[in-house]
Amino acid sequence: MLSDIRPAIVATLFFTLLLGVGYPLLVTGIAKVAFPAQAEGSLVRLNGKVVGSALIAQGFAKPEYLHPRASAAGNGYDPTSSGGTNLGPLNPDLAKHVKAAADGIRAEAPGVAIPADAVTTSASGLDPDVSPANAARQAARVAAARGVPLGTVRKVISDNTEGPWLGVFGQPHVNVLKTNLALDAALPRAQARRP
């Protein structure tokens, strides 16, 4: 009986070590060599200090910064609470949320077109990017708060707008953290403290 079970136990241990330990370590090692920044979480550093990740939104709320998409995470932009709202298009709660967000934007900038990503959350609730239209609608507020010409802020936003991957996949987007850091670097006299 033991002689019948022994090959199954050995095979289970072998494949557990090979596929459960060896393979993940190999893939992680290759990733750290081939793509070190991505393997470490795409961390963004300023003067040697980690200030965030290019992959996870942060709650910028001050007027001198671009604001990210609204977060669906229960605790603001906490990555451990990632998740969408799961509200369908016919759900009245979604309609209330979108209307409240749109009313806030209209109060801030009357007459400005409101991009969809300005009033909705992403699937993860932590999207680090906004559309170029969403960034452009915030430019006047950022320029006024920093006391600089609107064209200066628009130029920083334009310089930080990324096109579709390989020119085909996805949509143009603006990474909020990187753009806010670029705003601080380009406009040192108006350097504001991060939230």
mmCIF file of all heavy atoms in Angstrom, residues 7 14 18 21 25 45 49 53 90 98 110 156 164 171-172 177 185:
data_model
loop_
_atom_site.group_PDB
_atom_site.id
_atom_site.type_symbol
_atom_site.label_atom_id
_atom_site.label_comp_id
_atom_site.label_asym_id
_atom_site.label_seq_id
_atom_site.Cartn_x
_atom_site.Cartn_y
_atom_site.Cartn_z
ATOM 1 N N PRO A 7 4.914 7.119 -4.919
ATOM 2 C CA PRO A 7 5.113 7.907 -6.142
ATOM 3 C C PRO A 7 4.208 9.143 -6.209
ATOM 4 O O PRO A 7 4.629 10.199 -6.695
ATOM 5 C CB PRO A 7 4.768 6.931 -7.272
ATOM 6 C CG PRO A 7 4.919 5.576 -6.679
ATOM 7 C CD PRO A 7 4.603 5.717 -5.222
ATOM 8 N N PHE A 14 7.545 17.170 -5.626
ATOM 9 C CA PHE A 14 8.395 17.638 -6.713
ATOM 10 C C PHE A 14 7.726 18.787 -7.469
ATOM 11 O O PHE A 14 8.324 19.840 -7.689
ATOM 12 C CB PHE A 14 8.728 16.485 -7.676
ATOM 13 C CG PHE A 14 9.445 16.939 -8.906
ATOM 14 C CD1 PHE A 14 10.788 17.304 -8.860
ATOM 15 C CD2 PHE A 14 8.775 17.038 -10.122
ATOM 16 C CE1 PHE A 14 11.447 17.735 -9.995
ATOM 17 C CE2 PHE A 14 9.422 17.477 -11.262
ATOM 18 C CZ PHE A 14 10.762 17.818 -11.200
ATOM 19 N N LEU A 18 8.770 22.640 -7.750
ATOM 20 C CA LEU A 18 9.096 23.141 -9.085
ATOM 21 C C LEU A 18 8.170 24.287 -9.491
ATOM 22 O O LEU A 18 8.638 25.366 -9.876
ATOM 23 C CB LEU A 18 9.008 22.009 -10.112
ATOM 24 C CG LEU A 18 9.275 22.430 -11.570
ATOM 25 C CD1 LEU A 18 10.739 22.816 -11.734
ATOM 26 C CD2 LEU A 18 8.890 21.308 -12.510
ATOM 27 N N VAL A 21 7.431 27.025 -6.145
ATOM 28 C CA VAL A 21 8.560 27.786 -5.602
ATOM 29 C C VAL A 21 9.547 28.157 -6.710
ATOM 30 O O VAL A 21 9.841 29.334 -6.931
ATOM 31 C CB VAL A 21 9.283 26.994 -4.484
ATOM 32 C CG1 VAL A 21 10.476 27.781 -3.962
ATOM 33 C CG2 VAL A 21 8.322 26.675 -3.342
ATOM 34 N N LEU A 25 10.090 32.002 -8.486
ATOM 35 C CA LEU A 25 11.368 32.665 -8.226
ATOM 36 C C LEU A 25 12.102 32.979 -9.525
ATOM 37 O O LEU A 25 12.694 34.054 -9.674
ATOM 38 C CB LEU A 25 12.234 31.804 -7.311
ATOM 39 C CG LEU A 25 11.790 31.740 -5.841
ATOM 40 C CD1 LEU A 25 12.663 30.745 -5.066
ATOM 41 C CD2 LEU A 25 11.841 33.113 -5.192
ATOM 42 N N ARG A 45 10.264 58.284 -7.666
ATOM 43 C CA ARG A 45 11.122 58.859 -6.629
ATOM 44 C C ARG A 45 11.394 60.324 -6.921
ATOM 45 O O ARG A 45 11.541 60.719 -8.066
ATOM 46 C CB ARG A 45 12.440 58.091 -6.561
ATOM 47 C CG ARG A 45 12.274 56.691 -5.999
ATOM 48 C CD ARG A 45 13.604 55.927 -5.975
ATOM 49 N NE ARG A 45 13.508 54.706 -5.229
ATOM 50 C CZ ARG A 45 12.974 53.583 -5.674
ATOM 51 N NH1 ARG A 45 12.486 53.531 -6.889
ATOM 52 N NH2 ARG A 45 12.924 52.504 -4.912
ATOM 53 N N LYS A 49 13.630 59.844 -2.635
ATOM 54 C CA LYS A 49 12.547 59.415 -1.746
ATOM 55 C C LYS A 49 11.345 58.971 -2.583
ATOM 56 O O LYS A 49 10.955 59.651 -3.524
ATOM 57 C CB LYS A 49 12.143 60.564 -0.825
ATOM 58 C CG LYS A 49 11.046 60.220 0.145
ATOM 59 C CD LYS A 49 10.680 61.417 0.998
ATOM 60 C CE LYS A 49 9.499 61.060 1.891
ATOM 61 N NZ LYS A 49 8.964 62.228 2.571
ATOM 62 N N SER A 53 3.527 55.683 -6.724
ATOM 63 C CA SER A 53 3.670 54.730 -7.815
ATOM 64 C C SER A 53 2.969 55.288 -9.039
ATOM 65 O O SER A 53 1.913 55.912 -8.931
ATOM 66 C CB SER A 53 3.048 53.376 -7.444
ATOM 67 O OG SER A 53 2.989 52.540 -8.581
ATOM 68 N N LEU A 90 -28.051 51.512 -15.144
ATOM 69 C CA LEU A 90 -29.423 51.854 -14.780
ATOM 70 C C LEU A 90 -29.606 52.035 -13.274
ATOM 71 O O LEU A 90 -30.719 52.316 -12.813
ATOM 72 C CB LEU A 90 -30.388 50.776 -15.293
ATOM 73 C CG LEU A 90 -30.381 50.574 -16.816
ATOM 74 C CD1 LEU A 90 -31.338 49.466 -17.203
ATOM 75 C CD2 LEU A 90 -30.725 51.866 -17.528
ATOM 76 N N VAL A 98 -22.865 60.485 -10.395
ATOM 77 C CA VAL A 98 -22.417 61.227 -11.582
ATOM 78 C C VAL A 98 -22.958 62.653 -11.540
ATOM 79 O O VAL A 98 -22.232 63.608 -11.840
ATOM 80 C CB VAL A 98 -22.836 60.490 -12.874
ATOM 81 C CG1 VAL A 98 -22.628 61.365 -14.097
ATOM 82 C CG2 VAL A 98 -22.058 59.188 -13.011
ATOM 83 N N PRO A 110 -17.733 76.760 -14.833
ATOM 84 C CA PRO A 110 -18.978 76.805 -15.591
ATOM 85 C C PRO A 110 -18.721 76.829 -17.101
ATOM 86 O O PRO A 110 -17.789 77.468 -17.577
ATOM 87 C CB PRO A 110 -19.637 78.118 -15.143
ATOM 88 C CG PRO A 110 -18.917 78.532 -13.909
ATOM 89 C CD PRO A 110 -17.564 77.915 -13.969
ATOM 90 N N VAL A 156 2.939 71.948 -19.794
ATOM 91 C CA VAL A 156 3.363 70.846 -18.915
ATOM 92 C C VAL A 156 2.438 69.647 -19.107
ATOM 93 O O VAL A 156 2.901 68.505 -19.196
ATOM 94 C CB VAL A 156 3.394 71.296 -17.431
ATOM 95 C CG1 VAL A 156 3.656 70.109 -16.506
ATOM 96 C CG2 VAL A 156 4.453 72.375 -17.220
ATOM 97 N N PRO A 164 -1.334 56.220 -27.181
ATOM 98 C CA PRO A 164 -1.638 54.799 -27.054
ATOM 99 C C PRO A 164 -0.370 53.957 -27.115
ATOM 100 O O PRO A 164 0.596 54.322 -27.790
ATOM 101 C CB PRO A 164 -2.539 54.512 -28.259
ATOM 102 C CG PRO A 164 -3.055 55.845 -28.686
ATOM 103 C CD PRO A 164 -1.997 56.834 -28.313
ATOM 104 N N GLN A 171 -5.892 54.509 -25.131
ATOM 105 C CA GLN A 171 -6.212 55.902 -25.424
ATOM 106 C C GLN A 171 -5.104 56.797 -24.888
ATOM 107 O O GLN A 171 -4.365 56.414 -23.983
ATOM 108 C CB GLN A 171 -7.524 56.280 -24.734
ATOM 109 C CG GLN A 171 -8.731 55.494 -25.199
ATOM 110 C CD GLN A 171 -9.093 55.833 -26.631
ATOM 111 O OE1 GLN A 171 -9.040 56.983 -27.033
ATOM 112 N NE2 GLN A 171 -9.451 54.819 -27.409
ATOM 113 N N PRO A 172 -4.973 58.011 -25.422
ATOM 114 C CA PRO A 172 -4.034 58.955 -24.823
ATOM 115 C C PRO A 172 -4.414 59.195 -23.362
ATOM 116 O O PRO A 172 -5.599 59.168 -23.010
ATOM 117 C CB PRO A 172 -4.227 60.230 -25.648
ATOM 118 C CG PRO A 172 -4.841 59.771 -26.923
ATOM 119 C CD PRO A 172 -5.667 58.560 -26.577
ATOM 120 N N LEU A 177 0.263 61.804 -11.097
ATOM 121 C CA LEU A 177 1.417 61.979 -10.214
ATOM 122 C C LEU A 177 2.603 62.561 -10.976
ATOM 123 O O LEU A 177 3.208 63.549 -10.546
ATOM 124 C CB LEU A 177 1.810 60.649 -9.566
ATOM 125 C CG LEU A 177 3.102 60.663 -8.746
ATOM 126 C CD1 LEU A 177 3.006 61.645 -7.581
ATOM 127 C CD2 LEU A 177 3.426 59.260 -8.235
ATOM 128 N N ALA A 185 8.346 70.898 -10.760
ATOM 129 C CA ALA A 185 9.686 71.106 -11.309
ATOM 130 C C ALA A 185 9.730 72.291 -12.266
ATOM 131 O O ALA A 185 10.694 73.056 -12.269
ATOM 132 C CB ALA A 185 10.153 69.838 -12.028
#
